[in-house]
Amino acid sequence: MALAVALAVLAGCSDEGDKQASTVRVARTIGQGEGALNLVAWPGYTEYGASDPRVDWVSPFQERTKCKVSVKSAATAQEMVDLMSNPDRRYDGVSAPPEAAGQLIAAGQAAPVNPDLIDAYKDLDRDLRSQVIKDEKVYGVPFVWGVNQLMYNPKAVQSAPTSWSALFDPAEAKKYAGRMIVRDSPLTLADAALYLRSRNRSLDITDAYSLTRRQLDAATKVLAEQRPYVRSYWLHPSDAINSFAGGDAVIGEVWPYHVDVLSRAGRSAVGVTPKEGVTGWMDAWMIGARAEHPSCMYQWLNWMTSPDIQQQVAEWDGVAPANPEACSRDRLKAEFCSTYHVGDRAYIDKVVFAHTPSRDCGGGRRDCTDYEDWMRAWNKALKGSG
């Protein structure tokens, strides 16, 4: 749900066929726009005035480039992967979250990007840029990002939590039985792994998203033991907001967006960065390996990473812009940029950013679990089935 809408509610390149991306040539120049652009995107990422006539960054793009934008909205990351992989469809680009980006690169459904053709590329946060580089090739352009943190209602939670143990230690989680919410995603296993990294050093966890079978089993056990105390698992951000606003939840795993919305609406909500650290996510625009309109896609990449458009997206969707220039020249308010940690180098450097789990652990090791393993583990933790 868009940030403004949530507040209102609370207040009342060439034709490469089916070739893999590794064989797609990297563009050297941006040619004449082809007149069309077909995208797969999260809701709220391609606003054209339908939700709010004041919120429209697609129409100006179309007027300037003559590229008519068509969008297929996706409800889940897996739907994005399926759409981009469909041999009967040829989408030019996708706003891929980390669990989709890695799958698309591995399957050859994403084309390498020439960062020299992106005007603002060097302004984009360096940590974010590194998330979509594979074998020294750039496969995506950072768009927006956020972190997974703790939030609690100080009126109901007397002792301010400082650790993920408030959610993942059964003895502590029991205090909030039926009043706790958790993000509905297999990647939540990484938050449990981050907790275990300091809690159980014998597991030798280094990367929360690269887990061996033993490490994944340990994280799965944490979530299974937590399950009896969880009121709900939220998929849509508005669900988490409603739970806290209605008093049903008093503690949970959320994004800065939730703290921002609830605080602005006068609700009791405090965000916490646990002592173990936080995991993060970054959505990147990626070019489809079978893109029919590569020039329009490159023009879109330039448009969506420009400071002014980054400002509009950040304000509407309640996300941190990948381009910190969105916080310069009075574009975004200082309070917003502080809440979302935009340009906060000391903070960002400590965020454990998500990537698609794979067999490749790095350093020549291939004994890690992949995303399918994580999905089975998630189902087992929540439903007691594999």
Side-chain angles (χ1 to χ4, degrees), residues 40-55:
V40 174
W42 290 127
Y45 281 7
T46 54
E47 291 297 311
Y48 58 94
S51 301
D52 186 325
R54 299 167 298 178
V55 182

Side-chain angles (χ1 to χ4, degrees), residues 278-290:
V278 294
T279 58
W281 52 269
M282 185 265 292
D283 291 345
W285 284 105
M286 305 180 77
I287 302 176
R290 292 170 285 117

Side-chain angles (χ1 to χ4, degrees), residues 21-329:
S22 59
T23 65
V24 177
R25 292 183 180 180
V26 179
R28 295 184 178 180
T29 60
I30 300 178
Q32 182 70 29
E34 300 88 354
L37 182 65
N38 298 320
L39 302 172
V40 174
W42 290 127
Y45 281 7
T46 54
E47 291 297 311
Y48 58 94
S51 301
D52 186 325
R54 299 167 298 178
V55 182
D56 182 358
W57 52 81
V58 171
S59 297
F61 170 79
Q62 294 181 139
E63 293 169 4
R64 176 177 296 191
T65 65
K66 309 306 178 187
C67 298
K68 181 175 175 55
V69 178
S70 298
V71 182
K72 172 64 176 178
S73 291
T76 66
Q78 192 56 49
E79 184 180 358
M80 287 185 173
V81 173
D82 293 342
L83 288 168
M84 295 299 294
S85 304
N86 187 339
D88 297 325
R89 305 295 296 270
R90 296 182 62 181
Y91 291 102
D92 300 303
V94 57
S95 62
E99 61 268 45
Q103 293 185 69
L104 292 172
I105 294 171
Q109 297 298 337
V113 176
N114 183 349
D116 292 337
L117 300 182
I118 311 301
D119 296 337
Y121 187 79
K122 292 183 178 179
D123 293 329
L124 304 179
D125 188 273
R126 69 186 187 201
D127 283 4
L128 301 183
R129 297 200 307 258
S130 68
Q131 304 304 313
V132 278
I133 294 178
K134 178 73 171 178
D135 298 329
E136 299 184 350
K137 293 181 180 179
V138 175
Y139 279 97
V141 178
F143 180 46
V144 296
W145 65 280
V147 298
N148 303 302
Q149 63 180 44
L150 273 174
M151 181 173 72
Y152 70 99
N153 181 341
K155 293 181 179 180
V157 178
Q158 301 304 317
S159 180
T162 60
S163 166
W164 282 116
S165 62
L167 295 187
F168 297 133
D169 182 337
E172 294 193 41
K174 189 175 182 179
K175 301 175 185 176
Y176 315 110
R179 297 184 296 166
M180 176 191 303
I181 61 171
V182 176
R183 186 172 60 125
D184 186 359
S185 168
L187 295 189
T188 297
L189 285 156
D191 298 298
L194 194 64
Y195 160 71
L196 287 171
R197 187 169 68 177
S198 59
R199 181 82 169 195
N200 186 350
R201 296 187 182 278
S202 66
L203 288 169
D204 196 26
I205 296 173
T206 54
D207 182 349
Y209 292 94
S210 294
L211 302 179
T212 63
R213 172 56 63 183
R214 176 170 173 260
Q215 294 166 344
L216 181 63
D217 287 346
T220 304
K221 182 181 179 183
V222 167
L223 294 181
E225 292 177 344
Q226 177 200 60
R227 184 182 67 236
Y229 310 119
V230 177
R231 177 179 180 82
S232 63
Y233 296 88
W234 63 269
L235 180 62
H236 301 290
S238 59
D239 294 337
I241 290 173
N242 291 337
S243 292
F244 266 85
D248 296 326
V250 299
I251 193 169
E253 176 194 28
V254 300
W255 297 337
Y257 166 84
H258 299 101
V259 181
D260 188 20
V261 170
L262 290 164
S263 297
R264 291 198 203 186
R267 300 304 200 273
S268 295
V270 177
V272 176
T273 297
K275 62 183 181 181
E276 298 91 350
V278 294
T279 58
W281 52 269
M282 185 265 292
D283 291 345
W285 284 105
M286 305 180 77
I287 302 176
R290 292 170 285 117
E292 289 187 282
H293 313 105
S295 292
C296 280
M297 187 62 204
Y298 268 96
Q299 292 184 65
W300 177 257
L301 295 177
N302 273 297
W303 182 255
M304 296 304 285
T305 53
S306 64
D308 291 339
I309 304 303
Q310 286 270 289
Q311 171 203 346
Q312 294 179 52
V313 174
E315 289 179 330
W316 178 248
D317 288 296
V319 290
N323 189 346
E325 289 298 310
C327 286
S328 67
R329 300 182 183 180

